[in-house]
Amino acid sequence: MKTILSEQTISIPKEVKSVTVSSRVVTVVGPRGTLTRSFKHVNAEIRVEGKRNRRLIVTMWFGTHKQIASVRTICSHITNMITGVTKGYEYKMKFVYAHFPVNVNIPADGSSIEIHNFLGEKVVRRVVMAPGVQIIRSDAKDEIILRGNSIEDVSQSAARVHQSTLVKNKDIRKFLDGIYVSEKKIQGEDA
């Protein structure tokens, strides 16, 4: 069965400079930068209304139950973009080791990370961050912080770091060594 009309609205905060939609490609400009995302694969109308109280409206006509679920998904993605260009995202990762201490080198620009001495191995693991993601050392021991505007890029970079230190051919219940995400938050907010 198809629903005739499904619609969802997002209010655009004052800090956002502009939100433009051109043939289902949404561009959000804020004080921290610009994020662009294409929704051309979804058959939905996306439009911006209002001068003073700006809002973005996502509409789907004659959608099945599964297609209508994508309306909320689009709104969530755009809300994440708005949060990214106004506040930004921050992931904290902790080093876990039983015997061999994990050493990490981060270049001055913070665009990549080198992991040394994981499980006592001589192999140096290099992980390049996604564009727009910066990695820094935390004040706490054995901790790094990833920061960026796009939640997808920050979380993907954290996943790359985590997957570079997976334990192979051992019982992972016993060998818990690795680099794990310990905290996810919006920059400037306390978790």
Side-chain angles (χ1 to χ4, degrees):
M1 186 169 144
K2 294 194 175 188
T3 306
I4 295 173
L5 175 63
S6 179
E7 191 172 74
Q8 191 139 8
T9 306
I10 304 169
S11 60
I12 301 169
K14 300 252 188 276
E15 302 93 56
V16 176
K17 294 174 184 162
S18 72
V19 176
T20 56
V21 181
S22 174
S23 62
R24 291 190 298 236
V25 176
V26 179
T27 305
V28 181
V29 180
R32 292 178 54 91
T34 304
L35 289 176
T36 304
R37 187 166 183 138
S38 172
F39 297 104
K40 289 185 181 238
H41 62 284
V42 180
N43 192 12
E45 293 176 18
I46 306 171
R47 65 186 190 279
V48 179
E49 286 185 355
K51 293 282 184 207
R52 193 164 287 177
N53 294 334
R54 293 180 301 168
R55 55 201 186 117
L56 187 131
I57 300 166
V58 180
T59 310
M60 182 175 285
W61 293 89
F62 299 106
T64 62
H65 189 73
K66 281 191 175 181
Q67 290 170 335
I68 287 170
S70 64
V71 172
R72 174 67 188 259
T73 304
I74 291 170
C75 290
S76 296
H77 284 309
I78 295 169
T79 305
N80 286 340
M81 290 165 66
I82 290 170
T83 305
V85 297
T86 53
K87 298 174 186 167
Y89 291 97
E90 178 177 289
Y91 276 38
K92 289 186 179 177
M93 301 186 80
K94 282 210 177 346
F95 310 152
V96 177
Y97 51 86
H99 187 269
F100 296 102
V102 177
N103 297 326
V104 167
N105 288 342
I106 300 170
D109 61 346
S111 63
S112 65
I113 183 172
E114 290 181 351
I115 302 160
H116 300 269
N117 202 33
F118 176 71
L119 291 178
E121 296 174 359
K122 298 290 181 197
V123 175
V124 177
R125 292 166 165 80
R126 288 179 185 82
V127 182
V128 178
M129 299 294 110
V133 178
Q134 191 172 26
I135 186 166
I136 58 168
R137 267 194 189 279
S138 172
D139 296 334
K141 182 178 181 278
D142 294 336
E143 191 176 64
I144 53 175
I145 300 172
L146 284 78
R147 290 187 178 138
N149 293 348
S150 171
I151 192 170
E152 283 87 9
D153 290 344
V154 174
S155 59
Q156 184 64 49
S157 297
R160 285 183 193 155
V161 172
H162 171 70
Q163 286 184 331
S164 71
T165 59
L166 291 179
V167 179
K168 306 286 188 194
N169 304 322
K170 301 265 190 310
D171 186 356
I172 58 171
R173 296 170 297 180
K174 183 71 176 166
F175 290 84
L176 299 172
D177 296 37
I179 302 177
Y180 297 96
V181 174
S182 61
E183 190 179 336
K184 304 174 185 180
K185 67 176 188 175
I186 296 169
Q187 283 187 36
E189 291 184 5
D190 293 325

